[in-house]
Amino acid sequence: MAATTDWKPTACILCECNCGLEVELGGEDGRHLVRLRGDKRHPVSQGYACEKAHRLDHYQHGPDRLTTPLRRRPDGTFEPIDWDTAIREVAARLTAVRDTYGGDTIFYYGGGGQGNHLPGAYSPTVRRALGSRWRSSALAQEKTGEFWVSDRMLGTYTRADFEHCDVALFLGKNPWHSHSIPRARVTLKEISKDPARTLIVIDPRRTETAELADIHLQVRPGRDAWLLAAMLHVIVAEDLVNHAFLDAHAVEVDAAVEALRTIPFDECCKHAGLEEGLVRRAARIIGRARAFASFEDLGVQMNRQSTLVSYLHRLLVVLTGSMGRPGTHYVPTTLVQFTGGAASRRSPVVGAPIIAGLVPCNVIAEEILADHPKRYRAMIVETANPAHSLADSKRFREALAALDTVVVIDVAMTETAKHAHYVLPAATQFEKAEATFFNFDFPSNAFHLRPRLFERPPGVLPEAEIHARLAEALGVVTEDMLAPLREAAARGLVPYAEALAARLFSDPAYQWLAPAILYRTLDLPEDVREGAVLLALALKKAFENPAQLARAGFGGTPIEAGVALFQAMMTSPSGVVFAVDEWSEVLGRIGTKDGKIHVSLPDLLEELEKCTRSGPNDYDERFPFVLSAGERRSFTANTIIRDPSWRKKDASGALRMNPEDAAALGITDGGVVRLTTKRGSVIVATEISDAMQRGHVSLPNGMGSGRHGDGLVGGVAPNELTALDERDPFAGTPWHKHVPARIERAE
Ligand SMILES: Nc1nc2c(c(=O)[nH]1)N[C@H]1C(S)=C(S)[C@@H](COP(=O)(O)OP(=O)(O)OC[C@H]3O[C@@H](n4cnc5c(=O)[nH]c(N)nc54)[C@H](O)[C@@H]3O)O[C@H]1N2
Ligand SMILES: Nc1nc2c(c(=O)[nH]1)N[C@H]1C(S)=C(S)[C@@H](COP(=O)(O)OP(=O)(O)OC[C@H]3O[C@@H](n4cnc5c(=O)[nH]c(N)nc54)[C@H](O)[C@@H]3O)O[C@H]1N2
Ligand code: SF4
Ligand SMILES: [Mo]
């Protein structure tokens, strides 16, 4: 009989798109991901996948895989321990920290990577049991400035419909490589080749996306605030403002419009390094667009004036009325909200603004190292690698060393795990059910619970199990609590959901206990077991968004709809559409108190005035280059894959540099340089590229982690070069794309 190939559905875990994949398992033990292809049944990616997905076996079979819990010895080496000992000792040590210094000194970092958000969904039980209050994640070094602005102006967060726009703008974003929008390369090519549509890219580098653009605004590094101010000036001065939209949906318009009207246009263009005519043309095209869609990302969010730029970018969207119509901006029905909670609290030690519930990443080390009664004493790090990914790795290592207890939950011995007291090994994302809440599609929004592909090896556990065991060791989840739900479960999913909903409504503590209780009491097939927590989310959605769920086929009472959605999640291995929105609903989702868009933000208008009056102040003659530390390239994926040989290109992570700069330094392509910043100095090979402008150099993201078979680490870890105090004054986000640097030829 001819062998038939058994393709199993799963997803790519290397960027937030999480494209649906089909994978053929094989190899000696049947545990290798031998062939991969896009899954046509996936509702969002529809068969799309980029080159990186084909290399996922390098994640599953990474070089630093953890196979047993580890405890650090006094000499810094690790010894294997069994799970019972690990859980007992971790619970005891964290309890001791809580009882001595207060649970609010136990800091939680991470909870989800590009492919896995279930750890974060299970973590509340343990966090609350310990009285832990402060937390953070990578979002607080990229998106919090944008969240803060968006929350104040709109009371919500928008995404854009690039599929149907006639004018697309990418601001500090290279979706050709970084994606973030579904089927990015297909969509980019479609816009590019259609003469009726215009692609505008703002990037100092001639990126792959810029190559496709109709207009490339090759701004000087870090000067986006002046460029956007100039563009907005044109829109106001030439009255390309959408008055009908603003009259109907906005308030406090005048101050912003007046500020933009009086901006010195020609000077702003000069600071941005761009020709006035080109800036004017781009602004007019946006102002006259039928449907304008726009996306800002790290090029501006990890740069100078980042929060101001996020504000100016929002003004471009709002003043042109680019919301609530096909091809413009929308507010999707999401399962989990990432934004919200705009800076009403301050961090306990340095008083930094807490945005979206997150302490700014750049102050975490200070919050640990300060001499302060409320300094953090312990840290739980889950599915993140902050000793590599946060600014100033050296300082972060010092901070880790100053903690009483560090617990790391990861699949691999990472740069962070090396500094832990306990390392708890997790099953990989193919050895358990996993999912993300990066579900932002519109009008149909989809969710994908990927069943596990194979059993986990002995010695590792899924995070759901780790959290349940810790919760039991902490004494907050007991058999008495589980019994009534076990009994309901035996009667079926609807009685179970009714019992759960009754408890969630009547007992506030149940909100945080529920993840562990659901995981312990719901009887699910082994390959989707870790999906238990989703029942609570499905029920919540059914109460909050009955119409949107009903349109997706999940109608009836909220209990019926929630249960039906949950069942669909468990039995749709290629993903399921869970909500169907309508464009007419978008503007009703403005979440400000009065339901209106608040156009003028006085503090940011003041900052705009200051910038345009005094001009940029970003040059330091000791450091004549601007280093962008962390570019997304063909084979980068944060530090998810730790085997450098997964990279088919650019294995050493070259420093990209303009040919004239190279000539001035006497360097030829591949030549080696010493790259020095305020915080560090490294030796790195160069790639000479006319895509770079003079004075701007760029290093890839995620390098300098993991190791080759020969033990060598590939490339430069970018945060050996970055500084904690180089951060935005409003949101605290780092200036990783604008690191002052010096370059000398090396031998
Ligand atoms: N291949 C790959 N894809 C990824 C990831 C990955 O590691 N590898 N990571 C994922 C993650 S976590 C994220 S957050 C996204 C990030 O996605 P992007 O933000 O698109 O990624 P970057 O390459 O870091 O930065 C984007 C661009 O900013 C430009 N830039 C630098 N300085 C400036 C400036 O002063 N002004 C402007 N306007 N632009 C500037 C750079 O030249 C670069 O092209 O990518 C996701 N996708
Ligand atoms: N200089 C500079 N620094 C940057 C950036 C930059 O552009 N420049 N980019 C920043 C951005 S946008 C981001 S998002 C961050 C990313 O940085 P981090 O948020 O720290 O995340 P990753 O590098 O993606 O690391 C994910 C970790 O999860 C582990 N892991 C994988 N699968 C599982 C699993 O199933 N369970 C568990 N428990 N662990 C698992 C991996 O081994 C890895 O250690 O980096 C940031 N740092
Ligand atoms: S890296 Fe991103 S775009 Fe590429 S296949 Fe994976 S999820 Fe899709
Ligand atoms: Mo990110």
Side-chain angles (χ1 to χ4, degrees):
M1 203 167 70
T4 52
T5 306
D6 186 15
W7 292 94
K8 291 193 182 322
T10 185
C12 177
I13 62 164
L14 297 179
C15 87
E16 70 201 72
C17 288
N18 303 129
C19 299
L21 298 178
E22 290 185 297
V23 52
E24 191 191 321
L25 302 179
E28 275 167 34
D29 52 2
R31 293 177 64 86
H32 283 264
L33 286 67
V34 186
R35 287 206 290 161
L36 296 113
R37 64 183 186 200
D39 181 355
K40 295 202 175 74
R41 285 165 300 185
H42 191 278
V44 180
S45 60
Q46 299 169 26
Y48 180 91
C50 78
E51 69 276 19
K52 292 189 289 300
H54 300 282
R55 312 284 285 173
L56 275 170
D57 199 50
H58 291 263
Y59 160 78
Q60 176 59 25
H61 294 277
D64 300 312
R65 183 77 201 271
L66 297 163
T67 53
T68 176
L70 299 172
R71 176 174 61 201
R72 193 161 81 213
R73 298 192 187 96
D75 69 359
T77 60
F78 287 96
E79 60 188 327
I81 52 175
D82 62 53
W83 270 105
D84 287 346
T85 310
I87 295 289
R88 194 178 59 245
E89 291 189 9
V90 166
R93 279 187 67 151
L94 292 173
T95 304
V97 173
R98 178 191 68 193
D99 295 346
T100 314
Y101 303 109
D104 55 347
T105 67
I106 302 173
F107 192 76
Y108 178 81
Y109 189 86
Q114 299 297 300
N116 58 326
H117 292 169
L118 294 183
Y122 281 105
S123 71
T125 312
V126 168
R127 276 159 45 204
R128 289 293 292 270
L130 290 167
S132 166
R133 181 155 178 235
W134 308 106
R135 70 185 171 97
S136 195
S137 77
L139 285 174
Q141 43 87 75
E142 46 179 330
K143 298 275 168 277
T144 38
E146 188 189 9
F147 288 170
W148 187 57
V149 164
S150 197
D151 215 70
R152 292 169 68 196
M153 291 177 81
L154 304 161
T156 184
Y157 186 68
T158 59
R159 303 277 292 195
D161 175 14
F162 289 94
E163 241 181 283
H164 302 103
C165 67
D166 68 338
V167 178
L169 170 67
F170 291 101
L171 171 61
K173 166 95 199 147
N174 180 20
W176 183 267
H177 277 316
S178 67
H179 289 85
S180 311
I181 60 167
R183 306 162 66 244
R185 291 173 187 173
V186 178
T187 303
L188 290 174
K189 282 196 247 172
E190 276 172 3
I191 303 173
S192 177
K193 69 168 192 254
D194 186 340
R197 303 171 80 190
T198 310
L199 177 60
I200 304 174
V201 170
I202 300 179
D203 198 305
R205 212 160 52 86
R206 200 179 67 245
T207 61
E208 294 76 4
T209 311
E211 295 273 5
L212 292 173
D214 299 282
I215 298 181
H216 177 201
L217 295 166
Q218 199 164 6
V219 64
R220 288 178 67 179
R223 301 287 176 82
D224 297 81
W226 288 270
L227 171 57
L228 290 184
M231 290 169 75
L232 284 159
H233 171 80
V234 174
I235 285 177
V236 167
E238 300 189 4
D239 200 22
L240 302 171
V241 170
N242 186 335
H243 295 287
F245 176 87
L246 293 177
D247 289 347
H249 304 292
V251 294
E252 296 160 12
V253 178
D254 295 351
V257 167
E258 278 323 301
L260 296 168
R261 199 188 300 284
T262 54
I263 270 167
F265 173 74
D266 39 354
E267 263 178 60
C268 285
C269 292
K270 207 166 69 207
H271 293 317
L274 287 160
E275 220 187 288
E276 290 172 28
L278 189 64
V279 174
R280 211 180 280 282
R281 200 176 132 224
R284 285 177 182 157
I285 288 170
I286 291 171
R288 291 173 187 153
R290 171 184 57 76
F292 170 57
S294 180
F295 199 126
E296 66 170 73
D297 216 341
L298 305 185
V300 292
Q301 293 184 338
M302 289 183 169
N303 215 319
R304 287 171 170 259
Q305 286 90 30
S306 60
T307 302
L308 173 61
V309 171
S310 289
Y311 175 52
L312 297 175
H313 179 217
R314 275 283 172 288
L315 284 177
L316 213 49
V317 171
V318 167
L319 294 183
T320 56
S322 304
M323 264 186 87
R325 285 173 289 116
T328 68
H329 297 76
Y330 57 78
V331 182
T333 295
T334 54
L335 276 178
V336 166
Q337 211 185 329
F338 287 90
T339 62
S344 49
R345 291 188 297 159
R346 297 256 152 194
S347 70
V349 176
V350 308
I354 306 288
I355 301 169
L358 306 172
V359 173
C361 292
N362 276 49
V363 308
I364 298 171
E366 289 173 55
E367 298 255 327
I368 294 168
L369 291 166
D371 180 13
H372 188 282
K374 277 299 164 196
R375 73 179 190 85
Y376 308 143
R377 305 279 177 163
M379 193 156 163
I380 303 172
V381 179
E382 180 163 48
T383 188
N385 190 6
H388 183 279
S389 60
L390 299 193
D392 200 340
S393 303
K394 211 183 315 169
R395 194 73 176 143
F396 199 81
R397 289 190 292 266
E398 286 167 23
L400 287 174
L403 291 167
D404 286 27
T405 303
V406 179
V407 180
V408 169
I409 304 172
D410 205 295
V411 298
M413 184 47 107
T414 64
E415 287 67 30
T416 308
K418 283 178 187 142
H419 300 272
H421 298 93
Y422 291 86
V423 184
L424 304 181
T428 71
Q429 297 177 45
F430 302 116
E431 295 165 351
K432 65 192 172 211
E434 256 301 354
T436 74
F437 302 118
F438 287 143
N439 321 119
F440 305 117
D441 238 39
F442 189 95
S444 291
N445 201 357
F447 176 80
H448 186 193
L449 180 74
R450 299 115 51 184
R452 73 173 189 195
L453 293 176
F454 29 66
E455 279 180 36
R456 59 177 189 268
V460 307
L461 293 175
E463 292 82 355
E465 180 69 35
I466 297 173
H467 285 287
R469 289 192 190 184
L470 283 171
E472 284 152 357
L474 292 166
V476 293
V477 171
T478 60
E479 266 311 309
D480 286 353
M481 250 176 213
L482 302 178
L485 282 147
R486 285 225 166 91
E487 183 268 323
R491 286 185 286 126
L493 207 45
V494 169
Y496 183 95
E498 279 164 352
L500 177 73
R503 270 160 214 267
L504 284 171
F505 281 127
S506 62
D507 180 0
Y510 220 79
Q511 301 264 357
W512 56 269
L513 289 166
I517 293 174
L518 279 158
Y519 178 70
R520 278 284 182 256
T521 56
L522 255 185
D523 191 15
L524 295 173
E526 273 303 313
D527 65 344
V528 289
R529 213 170 147 221
E530 294 77 21
V533 69
L534 298 169
L535 179 59
L537 289 179
L539 286 169
K540 184 163 173 274
K541 270 294 110 175
F543 280 97
E544 287 172 0
N545 293 83
Q548 290 73 21
L549 263 58
R551 284 184 215 128
F554 307 106
T557 65
I559 296 281
E560 285 164 0
V563 166
L565 172 56
F566 176 68
Q567 278 169 326
M569 288 167 158
M570 295 299 120
T571 53
S572 307
S574 295
V576 57
V577 170
F578 70 90
V580 176
D581 289 316
E582 283 172 4
W583 277 101
S584 60
E585 290 168 332
V586 169
L587 288 157
R589 294 182 185 165
I590 303 289
T592 50
K593 280 205 184 88
D594 54 5
K596 299 281 181 191
I597 301 170
H598 290 244
V599 177
S600 299
L601 301 182
D603 45 357
L604 291 170
L605 287 175
E606 196 180 306
E607 182 71 8
L608 172 67
E609 212 267 324
K610 227 165 57 192
C611 282
T612 50
R613 183 166 24 86
S614 55
N617 169 29
D618 56 9
Y619 188 74
D620 179 341
E621 59 192 9
R622 293 169 306 158
F623 298 108
F625 283 89
V626 172
L627 164 69
S628 287
E631 181 189 307
R632 270 68 185 163
R633 293 185 186 169
S634 192
F635 284 94
T636 68
N638 294 346
T639 63
I640 303 165
I641 300 185
R642 301 180 58 78
D643 170 4
S645 70
W646 86 281
R647 297 191 174 95
K648 279 191 151 177
K649 287 184 192 155
D650 190 36
S652 67
L655 179 76
R656 288 186 171 153
M657 185 190 268
N658 171 278
E660 288 173 52
D661 284 336
L665 289 161
I667 305 158
T668 51
D669 194 44
V672 173
V673 295
R674 174 167 290 282
L675 170 67
T676 306
T677 68
K678 183 164 107 176
R679 288 299 288 158
S681 190
V682 296
I683 299 283
V684 61
T686 55
E687 176 193 324
I688 297 174
S689 160
D690 64 3
M692 301 300 297
Q693 59 175 276
R694 286 210 71 173
H696 187 212
V697 291
S698 179
L699 272 179
N701 180 47
M703 305 293 287
S705 76
R707 60 191 159 82
H708 287 282
D710 57 10
L712 290 178
V713 172
V716 170
N719 290 309
E720 299 296 332
L721 297 167
T722 56
L724 291 175
D725 58 353
E726 307 256 293
R727 63 179 190 239
D728 182 74
F730 295 95
T733 41
W735 295 341
H736 288 332
K737 307 294 172 188
H738 201 284
V739 182
R742 182 168 69 236
I743 299 175
E744 291 130 327
R745 201 166 106 188
E747 291 318 321

